[in-house]
Amino acid sequence: MSSDPVAAAPQRSFVLLKPDAVRRGLVGAILSRFESRGLKIVAMDLRYVDGDLADQHYAEHVERDFYPPLRTFVTSGPSVAVLLEGDQVIEVVRTMNGATDARKAAPGTIRGDWALSNRENLVHGSDSAESAAREIALWFPDFA
Ligand code: IDP
């Protein structure tokens, strides 16, 4: 029997394809990477994120200097909200997304291949099991 709690059950992560991904027509390409890796789309929805939802999603950042322009950006057009499932999906998605500052993201990552900004960096992925639970409850309450 495995003693690794992470490996014991498929995990879920909340992923947001931000407005730049939709605007630039990269939704299919990004989803294709996740699917090709073996991650499963459990739920997906095109969302017009309003200021309230942005504030709740980024609750830990609302006091930061970078938040006002980030809020403007995430509300600037439709995003695609995705619930992904798979073995260690939270860490796998974070690795596939690449560094937050896309200018420093490694080639082969989503940000490292297709973005060049520390704000408009195409994707969000939950950063921990606790964040995933909070974000899934916020974005996909039927799956919480
Ligand atoms: P993450 O998306 O890689 O988890 P976080 O630190 O949680 O990174 O930041 C959330 C989002 O806020 C980033 O994805 C990016 O869009 C934006 N952001 C973070 N730091 C900066 C910054 O220094 N300048 C501008 N935008 C930032």
Side-chain angles (χ1 to χ4, degrees):
M1 202 151 96
S2 169
S3 61
D4 178 355
V6 177
Q11 202 180 43
R12 287 182 174 177
S13 181
F14 173 70
V15 172
L16 188 69
L17 311 188
K18 300 182 190 181
D20 52 338
V22 176
R23 254 193 303 272
R24 294 175 55 196
L26 288 170
V27 170
I30 294 170
L31 288 174
S32 177
R33 285 196 178 193
F34 291 136
E35 289 192 301
S36 300
R37 189 71 190 272
L39 303 176
K40 184 180 165 198
I41 299 171
V42 175
M44 187 164 77
D45 203 6
L46 189 83
R47 296 279 179 89
Y48 289 80
V49 178
D50 65 16
D52 283 349
L53 180 56
D55 293 349
Q56 291 181 72
H57 175 70
Y58 284 123
E60 66 177 318
H61 294 318
V62 288
E63 302 300 332
R64 306 285 291 275
D65 287 348
F66 66 75
Y67 186 66
L70 172 61
R71 190 180 198 261
T72 299
F73 163 55
V74 294
T75 59
S76 66
S79 294
V80 176
V82 189
L83 183 55
L84 282 182
E85 184 175 275
D87 190 12
Q88 302 195 26
V89 61
I90 292 171
E91 186 180 349
V92 168
V93 165
R94 298 280 297 180
T95 302
M96 291 177 75
N97 285 354
T100 301
D101 184 345
R103 297 168 299 189
K104 299 186 172 108
T109 65
I110 291 164
R111 289 163 170 169
D113 286 350
W114 293 322
L116 197 63
S117 162
N118 61 349
R119 177 177 306 118
E120 303 204 7
N121 57 8
L122 297 170
V123 275
H124 163 85
S126 304
D127 65 5
S128 66
E130 294 71 28
S131 298
R134 187 184 71 80
E135 292 167 4
I136 292 167
L138 178 64
W139 291 85
F140 290 110
D142 290 351
F143 292 83

